Amino acid sequence: KQEVTQIPAALSVPEGENLVLNCSFTDSAIYNLQWFRQDPGKGLTSLLLIQSSQREQTSGRLNASLDKSSGRSTLYIAASQPGDSATYLCAVTGANSKLTFGKGITLSVRP
Amino acid sequence: DAGVTQSPTHLIKTRGQQVTLRCSPKSGHDTVSWYQQALGQGPQFIFQYYEEEERQRGNFPDRFSGHQFPNYSSELNVNALLLGDSALYLCASSPVPSSSYEQYFGPGTRLTVT
């Protein structure tokens, strides 16, 4: 059974700091990995999708990497801003196209 | 191009009642999946519909059932509501039921059971 872990559960950083959010998964037989952003009480916004054959994806200040063999992914946020404050979830897709999510990391960026 | 839409936005029900939630997939998508997100948790997969049939199911009781219509929209029905069913219910769509494709999520329906 696939398990996805995100540690720590919460993170607080000063504005302008570069930061890394970690995600680990137990079964390396994945098709892809997605990073999502969730604002309080809202739905999920997809940030980046990395296919299993890829090593990384970039979008603006965000960069996500994937090491399938070790079961790890990182989301790098450059020059963090207060508007980046949200919960960040990673999810992996298995052969049955089911997404398995971590519990998320709640990020607070202090002005 | 409208993304995934869900209705209603919020819903309050009493224990034992039944509820129906609705989802319209993104244009061009024919596969719909439903997820339950309890407070402070990651979303949990409920089931997936494709070609009007349930294709995959997560670890949820039979009280949770669904339907997909010919226009690809979908409903999630929950019978005999329990307090523990209070959650954000998310709908996701993809162009085909393939693991290689990105899934797009709707804004969710917040269900509160009292």
Side-chain angles (χ1 to χ4, degrees):
Chain A
K1 176 189 173 187
Q2 177 74 267
E3 292 183 1
V4 179
T5 303
Q6 294 183 257
I7 296 174
L11 190 60
S12 180
V13 301
E15 182 177 4
E17 188 163 301
N18 300 325
L19 56 101
V20 173
L21 306 182
N22 293 306
C23 171
S24 63
F25 48 95
T26 55
D27 186 350
S28 62
I30 63 169
Y31 278 68
N32 57 54
L33 183 144
Q34 280 185 262
W35 281 93
F36 293 91
R37 170 183 171 138
Q38 186 173 35
D39 293 293
K42 304 296 185 182
L44 304 180
T45 300
S46 180
L47 298 173
L48 290 164
L49 169 74
I50 310 176
Q51 298 290 355
S52 61
S53 58
Q54 297 175 319
R55 296 286 292 186
E56 65 179 283
Q57 282 284 349
T58 298
S59 176
R61 294 183 295 110
L62 304 180
N63 176 276
S65 68
L66 173 63
D67 184 342
K68 204 173 76 161
S69 61
S70 68
R72 295 177 188 273
S73 175
T74 61
L75 178 66
Y76 174 84
I77 303 177
S80 58
Q81 304 170 358
D84 294 330
S85 298
T87 297
Y88 291 81
L89 296 117
C90 74
V92 296
T93 307
N96 57 8
S97 73
K98 180 184 86 168
L99 285 169
T100 302
F101 285 84
K103 291 185 178 181
I105 298 173
T106 299
L107 173 65
S108 175
V109 181
R110 307 186 303 272
Chain B
D1 175 26
V4 180
T5 60
Q6 293 186 242
S7 63
T9 305
H10 296 90
L11 207 49
I12 300 175
K13 290 287 188 178
T14 303
R15 265 184 309 176
Q17 287 188 317
Q18 179 264 342
V19 68
T20 297
L21 311 181
R22 295 176 176 82
C23 170
S24 290
K26 182 177 169 66
S27 178
H29 288 189
D30 59 9
T31 303
V32 173
S33 300
W34 287 91
Y35 290 80
Q36 179 198 65
Q37 186 179 23
L39 200 61
Q41 302 294 315
Q44 298 288 318
F45 175 77
I46 302 175
F47 42 52
Q48 180 186 80
Y49 276 84
Y50 172 67
E51 292 187 336
E52 302 179 48
E53 291 187 4
E54 183 182 294
R55 296 295 175 135
Q56 301 286 342
R57 189 178 183 91
N59 188 25
F60 280 79
D62 291 345
R63 297 187 298 110
F64 289 77
S65 63
H67 188 79
Q68 185 178 36
F69 299 93
N71 67 352
Y72 310 124
S73 67
S74 176
E75 288 182 348
L76 164 64
N77 301 293
V78 187
N79 295 322
L81 285 166
L82 304 173
L83 295 178
D85 295 331
S86 294
L88 180 67
Y89 288 84
L90 296 162
C91 169
S93 74
S94 60
V96 291
S98 167
S99 297
S100 298
Y101 287 84
E102 182 175 359
Q103 296 192 39
Y104 294 79
F105 281 79
T109 294
R110 172 72 62 186
L111 172 65
T112 302
V113 182
T114 61

